[in-house]
Amino acid sequence: MRRVVYYFIWAMIQLTVLIYKIYQGSKAGDTFAGYSKGVEVLMMTCLSTNFFLMAPTLMRMLRATPLRRFICFDKTTHAHKVVAYTFVFWVAHHVVARYYKFYTIQAQSNGKVKMFDMLFKKLTGRIGHTMLTALAIILLSALPAVRRKYFELFYLLHHLSFLIVILIFVHIKVHTFHYYITAPGIVYLVDRIYRMVRARLNRPQIHSVILHPSNVIELRFARNGIKYKAGQFIYLCVPSISWYQWHPFTLTSAPEEDELSVHIRVSGGWTGNLVDTFRQCASSMPSRLTIVHPRTGQQVPTDRRQVMSTDTERTLTPSYNQHIQSARGARGGRGRGSMRGRGGQVQRQPSNRSAHNGSSPRYPPEMDYYSGARPYTQLHASANKSLPAPPANASQLPTIMVDGPYGAPTQDVFDYSHILLICGNIGVTPMSSVLKSLYYQLTTAKASTSVKKVYFVWSCRDVQALEWFRDLLAALDMEDIGDILEIRTYLTGQLPVSLIRNIALNQSSGGPDAVTGLYRSPTYYGRPDFDSIFGEIGMRNPSTDIGVFFCGSRTLGRKLHKTSRKWNSELKHRSTSFSYHEERSTE
């Protein structure tokens, strides 16, 4: 709805300015001159607007104001494209108008004044065609096929916009330039310099790199004082690969944790180079790595062959994941409840995390799932095996630079008491941060939350994708948090016959799910029936504003938006509504 409002306001501004200038021209006896002046004003308006839109720090500040209820500050990139295409539209009108005017002058002078001389020999004509050429280059490099394959070229050529601004200063009157460009340009430059300095000073140390199934890597690194909300994203740069490529990634860690993490789908190009870089670093490490525990300072030698194992989920650097099984065996289970295998009963007790006072470092829910979240003194014997620790020779790992965090629709998730989280494949990344944050809110002493119910729906094409956050889901499934969270995982791809046999043999009525290992949340096969899901949730929650947060493909997003509007209409008599929020994933 906010996007429709944006389109309407933007179109009305264009139309109002153009009609006003044409009216002024007609009063002066030259309607065409009024039209030309209106086109010039609209071109300058587009330029000044884009300066503001491309100032992320300013947009983040505006997002914290009540204006966010009416303006979608999370879609500034989309708005930038709309304004840029509008600029191109008016440039085309301006060029046609100039050519027509010069043709008319040549005709009226009986050929004494040549149209070619006015277009290519006069300074204004040469500058105009130079700007037109630069704009054409920017447009061609911004085509999706070019931008995705040659991002660095796209990034560099986009800076021709600065050349266009300089040429505009020469091309138009000085007072007009100051009126439209000076203030927005200063805002943009200050914002960019601030972000550049901040990002180059913020070079966090990498703690671990974990290779997950289905070509996804998890990167964990130091927080370095970054404050953020669940669902926000950062820009990541690896200078050893490229100084110019800054790629956005959603933070999958929770604000309550002491380190940051991102999950990156490896799809070639920059992401492929990133994995190659980490593998080269891992192969150059000594055969015996020394892990230094961040709290005790004790050193534990680790064989690099364990780090570079051939398991489906392996670490390229030391991390707590590589010792999960040993940590689990050392305690004989979770420590908070016992499981008696397939067909047995699960005994759940209140979470010991409620005793956490916030003074000690915070570890992920996955870690709590295996360690039982007991005080560190009770983990004395096996602490160095279960807690995450950076390698002593982390200096061999590539340097990374972080810019952010920046706002995303999902960061508003805790404004609602009833929440529906929907994601497809790698679109689970912002939901991971939300679920972790919810976990801490529900299991930490003195923490409070207004959340009453959360429905989590995750559809994946294959079983391997479910392993990305398997441990997190297990921690949430086993935690005694009442009836707040419902987990629904869907497998939409075709399953091999061997896997179907394995599921049939290992699935029992009282045991864990054969695919995910969850006790309270079975896996569903086939595509989710979102119409039924929305209807069921709407009927169960009368007089409620339910926040719907989706991250996935464009096609599914359109379907969900249509479904939410349908049920808003059908449940109007029950005062139940779905507030839809969407962001796109790169699946």
Side-chain angles (χ1 to χ4, degrees), residues 73-239:
F73 292 107
D74 301 323
K75 303 293 184 180
T76 52
T77 302
H78 176 78
H80 161 71
K81 293 178 182 178
V82 172
V83 174
Y85 285 127
T86 307
F87 175 73
V88 173
F89 175 80
W90 292 123
V91 166
H93 277 249
H94 176 73
V95 170
V96 171
R98 293 290 100 182
Y99 270 69
Y100 175 75
K101 180 179 179 179
F102 294 152
Y103 172 79
T104 303
I105 293 175
Q106 177 179 272
Q108 291 176 349
S109 65
N110 295 322
K112 293 181 180 178
V113 179
K114 299 293 184 182
M115 181 179 177
F116 180 85
D117 295 341
M118 290 184 285
L119 289 175
F120 298 102
K121 290 187 177 181
K122 284 190 174 182
L123 179 61
T124 53
R126 292 200 300 268
I127 291 177
H129 284 91
T130 303
M131 289 190 291
L132 198 60
T133 303
L135 183 61
I137 293 173
I138 292 174
L139 279 175
L140 290 174
S141 66
L143 293 173
V146 178
R147 185 181 71 247
R148 291 169 184 166
K149 193 171 183 179
Y150 306 102
F151 182 85
E152 193 163 350
L153 178 65
F154 154 77
Y155 180 81
L156 291 173
L157 291 179
H158 230 62
H159 286 75
L160 287 174
S161 56
F162 293 111
L163 173 63
I164 292 176
V165 172
I166 294 172
L167 292 175
I168 286 176
F169 178 76
V170 182
H171 192 65
I172 65 175
K173 297 178 181 179
V174 175
H175 74 275
T176 305
F177 181 89
H178 288 319
Y179 185 81
Y180 287 100
I181 302 298
T182 302
I186 291 174
V187 170
Y188 171 80
L189 286 176
V190 170
D191 182 274
R192 180 153 186 173
I193 292 171
Y194 166 73
R195 289 187 292 116
M196 181 180 66
V197 173
R198 180 184 62 179
R200 277 153 180 75
L201 292 178
N202 188 7
R203 302 189 178 195
Q205 184 185 51
I206 297 176
H207 289 174
S208 61
V209 184
I210 306 167
L211 182 59
H212 291 284
S214 299
N215 293 326
V216 171
I217 63 170
E218 178 184 356
L219 184 62
R220 291 182 171 272
F221 47 93
R223 184 163 178 168
N224 283 9
I226 292 179
K227 297 180 180 180
Y228 65 100
K229 294 181 179 180
Q232 289 188 322
F233 71 95
I234 59 171
Y235 285 97
L236 194 65
C237 175
V238 183

Side-chain angles (χ1 to χ4, degrees), residues 416-419 541 543-547 575-579:
Y416 298 88
S417 61
H418 292 71
I419 305 165
N541 300 280
S543 303
T544 305
D545 183 16
I546 302 169
S575 300
T576 299
S577 62
F578 292 96
S579 298

Side-chain angles (χ1 to χ4, degrees), residues 260-278:
L260 302 181
S261 68
V262 293
H263 283 65
I264 304 172
R265 178 187 285 277
V266 182
S267 56
W270 185 87
T271 54
N273 294 335
L274 180 64
V275 172
D276 292 339
T277 301
F278 284 128

Side-chain angles (χ1 to χ4, degrees), residues 351-471:
S351 172
N352 289 337
R353 286 298 286 249
S354 59
H356 193 282
N357 56 15
S359 60
S360 58
R362 176 70 77 188
Y363 296 106
E366 307 94 297
M367 196 62 242
D368 182 39
Y369 172 60
Y370 292 108
S371 69
R374 297 171 179 173
Y376 180 73
T377 54
Q378 297 182 27
L379 298 175
H380 183 73
S382 56
N384 289 295
K385 292 183 179 180
S386 61
L387 297 179
N393 55 344
S395 59
Q396 296 184 15
L397 296 174
T399 299
I400 62 173
M401 296 188 295
V402 174
D403 179 27
Y406 294 106
T410 314
Q411 75 178 68
D412 295 328
V413 65
F414 293 117
D415 291 345
Y416 298 88
S417 61
H418 292 71
I419 305 165
L420 173 56
L421 305 176
I422 304 174
C423 49
N425 292 295
I426 198 63
V428 72
T429 49
M431 312 311 172
S432 167
S433 179
V434 172
L435 292 176
K436 287 182 181 181
S437 185
L438 175 67
Y439 176 88
Y440 291 125
Q441 293 178 32
L442 296 173
T443 59
T444 304
K446 298 181 180 179
S448 61
T449 179
S450 60
V451 177
K452 297 179 180 179
K453 191 68 178 180
V454 177
Y455 304 91
F456 174 63
V457 181
W458 183 17
S459 63
C460 299
R461 296 190 187 96
D462 50 55
V463 177
Q464 289 74 21
L466 291 173
E467 297 182 19
W468 299 337
F469 298 97
R470 178 184 55 193
D471 299 335

